[in-house]
Amino acid sequence: LDRNLPLSFFEAIECIFMLTGIFTTVWYISPMISVPGLLVLCIFLMIIKYTFKAIIQSKGLELTTRSPMYSLYSTTISGLVTVRCYNQGENFNTKFTQLLNTYGKAYIYYWNSTR
């Protein structure tokens, strides 16, 4: 599972409560300002609906590129004696760097699509 999921969940809940408090306060002080606020909210929801598929695909890509990186690291740690015995440290560094670059590109793509 994604270890950032609980943090993201609590941030989303906090944001919902803050927005509810802000809209309630603004509506109580000046009900006429709520009309443009609801219009902006509708536009925001349409944008989310339009970009939701891209966000889900970029998260899938990010998770797919993360798995081989962790797998290589775990495999190398378990076979560390063999890696050192046959001087394959440079091979590990090269392969890990390639996987890390691929993961970094996917993560940046996901990060940009969610902002």
Side-chain angles (χ1 to χ4, degrees):
L1 287 178
D2 191 6
R3 66 177 183 210
N4 294 331
L5 189 61
L7 180 62
S8 298
F9 175 73
F10 287 122
E11 286 178 355
I13 295 296
E14 179 184 9
C15 190
I16 289 171
F17 282 135
M18 285 181 8
L19 285 175
T20 303
I22 289 170
F23 278 123
T24 304
T25 304
V26 167
W27 178 78
Y28 184 75
I29 292 173
S30 175
M32 289 303 291
I33 203 80
S34 298
V35 175
L38 290 175
L39 181 65
V40 168
L41 181 65
C42 289
I43 291 171
F44 178 71
L45 290 175
M46 287 191 311
I47 290 172
I48 287 179
K49 183 180 177 184
Y50 180 71
T51 60
F52 188 72
K53 187 176 180 181
I55 292 171
I56 295 299
Q57 287 177 348
S58 63
K59 182 63 176 176
L61 178 65
E62 189 252 342
L63 290 174
T64 303
T65 58
R66 183 191 311 177
S67 178
M69 185 178 62
Y70 288 146
S71 177
L72 176 68
Y73 189 74
S74 173
T75 304
T76 303
I77 292 297
S78 18
L80 192 58
V81 173
T82 308
V83 169
R84 289 192 178 190
C85 181
Y86 292 108
N87 293 327
Q88 292 297 311
E90 189 61 38
N91 186 20
F92 166 75
N93 284 339
T94 304
K95 189 177 262 189
F96 189 74
T97 302
Q98 290 172 348
L99 290 173
L100 191 61
N101 286 338
T102 304
Y103 169 71
K105 291 174 188 175
Y107 180 77
I108 293 294
Y109 178 65
Y110 168 69
W111 187 78
N112 284 333
S113 69
T114 58
R115 300 299 179 242

